[in-house]
Amino acid sequence: MAQAYTTETGNGVSQTRPAGSRLRGLLDRWRGDRGIWRRGALLAVFAVLIALVMILHAQIPNRIGNLGSLVETFLPWSGVFVPLILVGAAVRRSATAMVAVLLPLVVWLNLFGGLLTGKSAATGGDLTVASHNVNAGNPDPAGTAREVAASGADVLALQELPAGQVGTYEKALAEAYPYHVVEGTVGLWSRYPLTGEAPVDIRLGWDRALRATVMVPGKPVEVYVAHLPSVRVKLNAGFTAGQRDASADALGEAIAGSRHERIVLLGDLNGTMNDRSLNAVTSQMRSTQGAAGDGMGFSWPAAFPMARIDQIMVRGVEPVSSWTLPRTDSDHLPVAARVTL
């Protein structure tokens, strides 16, 4: 319902004016402001710089502290500068900044706008898979195992399994998953029989990746489980991701050498799909979140997710839906997807 406000004239007579007149008055003042195009130059320059970072992120070199990978990891968050610039433009009454902010807005929507909408199908899919970095310091491993199993996944991959707690996870998951394999700190649980179980060498010197064929009736699927090395941001070294990058190359080589028609990769890759250093893997596989996910699907850190470093990728199968599961006692959120074989 339209609203109005009243003012009292000098002769005591009240006049009713439409609320929209305030906005018109504000616009009139802006039109009469000769400095409206001169103010806010720094805001406008900042808006252009943010847009250029998004457009040219692949050109940012990795030679110095892996800066390019660091920017690409958190690239979706560049969009937070748009409302900040917009508020600054309004405060400064700067038409120049108002116009300039359209550039990063359009670029961000072009890059990430498709992730804002839900693409998951309510039904369909032959196989449900889930992956979770359970955290070596998890105070309730059995509870975490049961919570993830409650997702109804047919195939479940776990990473960061402490040697002393593997038995706890096996016991908690035994009823739901009669078949499983553990190699080092990663494991795979399945409702279907497994064959060809073997560790995958990702050049670490110990086992943090495996592969096995899940014998889905009539449609076998080769599943990889991987936990790539962690990365750190250090003032004296930048984005220390060298070991992770080498492991990603090794994992990519292993997948490229597979002769299986259907492949699913589950794991904590300590990197996002935007990170060029994971190209050995991402260039040959599809992200279920990108193809059929709900929203951004950020998975880490669990308390305030800022990046999706827990991935489900596929080759030779069709993603139907992809989502994050409720938080457990881990510092990562579990992720899940349904695929058509």
Side-chain angles (χ1 to χ4, degrees):
M1 182 172 63
Q3 294 182 343
Y5 65 93
T6 61
T7 61
E8 190 172 293
T9 63
N11 60 8
V13 178
S14 295
Q15 291 184 332
T16 301
R17 297 170 59 191
S21 63
R22 284 185 173 179
L23 178 59
R24 287 195 297 272
L26 177 62
L27 293 176
D28 288 340
R29 288 195 297 274
W30 277 48
R31 282 194 292 266
D33 187 349
R34 294 183 179 180
I36 195 170
W37 291 102
R38 292 195 296 269
R39 289 191 299 268
L42 289 178
L43 284 171
V45 169
F46 184 61
V48 173
L49 288 176
I50 293 300
L52 289 175
V53 167
M54 288 189 282
I55 294 171
L56 303 175
H57 66 87
Q59 307 306 317
I60 300 175
N62 256 347
R63 292 188 299 273
I64 303 174
N66 284 304
L67 182 60
S69 288
L70 178 60
V71 170
E72 289 167 340
T73 296
F74 298 102
L75 195 62
W77 288 93
S78 56
V80 303
F81 292 107
V82 171
L84 294 178
I85 296 171
L86 191 60
V87 170
V91 171
R92 292 282 292 150
R93 290 192 298 174
S94 169
T96 301
M98 285 282 191
V99 173
V101 78
L102 293 176
L103 182 58
L105 175 61
V106 170
V107 174
W108 190 92
L109 289 174
N110 182 62
L111 290 175
F112 304 108
L115 295 176
L116 297 178
T117 59
K119 299 183 288 295
S120 286
T123 59
D126 303 315
L127 188 72
T128 299
V129 298
S131 178
H132 190 26
N133 178 324
V134 296
N135 185 8
N138 193 313
D140 184 15
T144 294
R146 288 191 295 267
E147 289 173 32
V148 182
S151 67
D154 301 304
V155 175
L156 171 62
L158 300 181
Q159 305 91 47
E160 210 166 294
L161 296 169
Q165 293 182 355
V166 169
T168 302
Y169 285 100
E170 290 175 330
K171 182 178 180 180
L173 295 170
E175 182 176 353
Y177 301 100
Y179 309 98
H180 82 280
V181 56
V182 174
E183 296 285 354
T185 61
V186 298
L188 180 67
W189 278 258
S190 173
R191 301 186 192 278
Y192 300 105
L194 301 175
T195 64
E197 305 98 318
V200 175
D201 182 10
I202 56 172
R203 302 171 189 164
L204 284 177
W206 68 95
D207 293 333
R208 279 179 47 152
L210 65 82
R211 66 174 166 230
T213 301
V214 179
M215 301 304 293
V216 181
K219 299 175 181 178
V221 181
E222 186 175 49
V223 176
Y224 287 76
V225 182
H227 183 193
L228 298 188
S230 298
V231 297
R232 298 287 186 270
V233 180
K234 299 180 179 180
L235 292 177
N236 62 340
F239 194 51
T240 58
Q243 193 174 37
R244 182 210 60 180
D245 298 348
S247 289
D249 290 344
L251 178 62
E253 291 171 9
I255 294 173
S258 173
R259 297 183 179 180
H260 282 259
E261 179 183 354
R262 307 175 188 89
I263 299 177
V264 174
L265 168 62
L266 306 166
D268 173 6
L269 302 191
N270 272 304
T272 68
M273 293 295 294
N274 295 317
D275 190 340
R276 75 192 71 172
S277 295
L278 299 185
N279 279 351
V281 177
T282 58
S283 63
Q284 58 179 316
M285 306 193 79
R286 297 175 67 193
S287 163
T288 59
Q289 185 66 27
D294 288 333
M296 293 288 186
F298 294 155
S299 63
W300 178 89
F304 187 81
M306 297 184 65
R308 185 180 179 90
I309 63 175
D310 301 275
Q311 306 290 354
I312 298 177
M313 300 185 202
V314 297
R315 190 176 83 188
V317 304
E318 187 66 26
V320 174
S321 59
S322 186
W323 65 98
T324 56
L325 294 169
R327 185 179 179 183
T328 69
D329 280 320
S330 172
D331 57 341
H332 291 244
L333 293 179
V335 295
R338 287 201 311 274
V339 298
T340 297
L341 303 180

